[in-house]
Amino acid sequence: MPVIVTASSKGGAGKSTLTLVLAQALDAMGATVTIIDADPNRPLIRWRGGKSVSGVQVVGDVTESSIIRNIRDESARRQFVLVDLEGTANRLVSRAITQADLVLIPLQASALDSNEASRAVGLIREEEETLDGRVIPFRIIMTRTNPLITTKIESGIYRALEQAGLPLMKTRLHERQAFKAIFVRRAALSELDSSVNGLPAAIENADRLAAEVVDLITDKPQRTEKIEAAHA
Ligand SMILES: Nc1ncnc2c1ncn2[C@@H]1O[C@H](COP(=O)(O)OP(=O)(O)O)[C@@H](O)[C@H]1O
Ligand SMILES: [Mg+2]
C-alpha cells in the first residue's frame, strides 16, 4: 500500500509534524497507518511512548541496510506507510525515497527555504536516475503558514515554484498550537482537550491534508515494482 515519505534537506522544516498530523488524519478516516521513524532523534517513537490510544503504529530502529525491507514489510500489512526522515542527505534517505509513491517536501515561507525545496527536489531527481525511468511523484507543501493571510514572501515562493514547474499541494499546513501539542502531550489531535487554541480548525486542516493526499495517490497508477536498483 502507498508509501509516503517526507523529505527536506534541512532540519526544522516541519517533516515530523507533517508526518504525524497526516498519519493521525488517515487513521481518523479509518485507515491502517504505520510511521517508520527513520530519524535518529526518534521524535515519533517518543510520541508513541505516551498514553495515546491512537491506532497509528510507529516502527523505529531502522538502518540504511534495513530501510527498504522495513518499508516493504509494513506496506504489505498496512494501508499507509509514512516515513519520517532526518534533515540530511544520506544513503538511508536516498533509499527511502526510491520506495516512495509520494514524497512530500515541507517548506516554510522564508526566502532561504525555497532553495531548500530545490535541493530536496534535486535529491528526488537523482534517485529517479537510479530507477530506470520510474518517476517518483512529489509535492511541495507550505507549512507553518498563517491561516488568515498569505504573506508577500509566501506569494513570491508560489510564483517561483510555478515558474520552476514544481508542484505544490493545495492544502497548506498552518501554524497551529495543536500541531505542537500532539508532540508535547504525546496525544492524538482528537485526544487534546478543547482548551488548545484553534483545535477544531487544526483538525479540519489535518483532514483536508489527508483528503488531498488520498486523492493524489488514488489518481496515480499504483507503483509497479519496487526497485532492486536501490540495493546497489
Ligand atoms: N504546522 C505547524 N504548526 C506549529 N508548529 C509547527 C508546525 N510545523 C512545525 N512546527 C514546529 O517547528 C519545529 C520543527 O518542526 P519539525 O516537524 O520537528 O521539523 P523537522 O522534522 O523537519 O525537523 C517544531 O518545534 C514544531 O513544533
Ligand atoms: Mg523531524
Side-chain angles (χ1 to χ4, degrees), residues 95-109:
R95 287 183 169 171
I97 288 174
T98 65
Q99 301 302 296
D101 295 288
L102 177 65
V103 179
L104 291 176
I105 303 172
L107 185 61
Q108 284 179 42

Side-chain angles (χ1 to χ4, degrees), residues 8 10-18 39 84-85 106 108 143-144 173-177 179-180 183:
S8 74
K10 184 173 136 204
K15 289 180 296 299
S16 301
T17 304
L18 173 63
D39 178 343
D84 186 38
L85 297 171
Q108 284 179 42
T143 59
R144 308 194 69 175
L173 200 64
H174 294 310
E175 173 82 25
R176 290 287 180 195
Q177 197 193 328
F179 297 153
K180 291 186 196 296
F183 282 94

Side-chain angles (χ1 to χ4, degrees), residues 152-177:
K152 280 188 183 145
I153 295 177
E154 215 180 307
S155 310
I157 290 180
Y158 292 144
R159 276 195 302 277
L161 293 175
E162 200 168 39
Q163 277 163 14
L166 299 178
L168 184 69
M169 292 281 286
K170 282 203 266 312
T171 310
R172 301 172 294 163
L173 200 64
H174 294 310
E175 173 82 25
R176 290 287 180 195
Q177 197 193 328

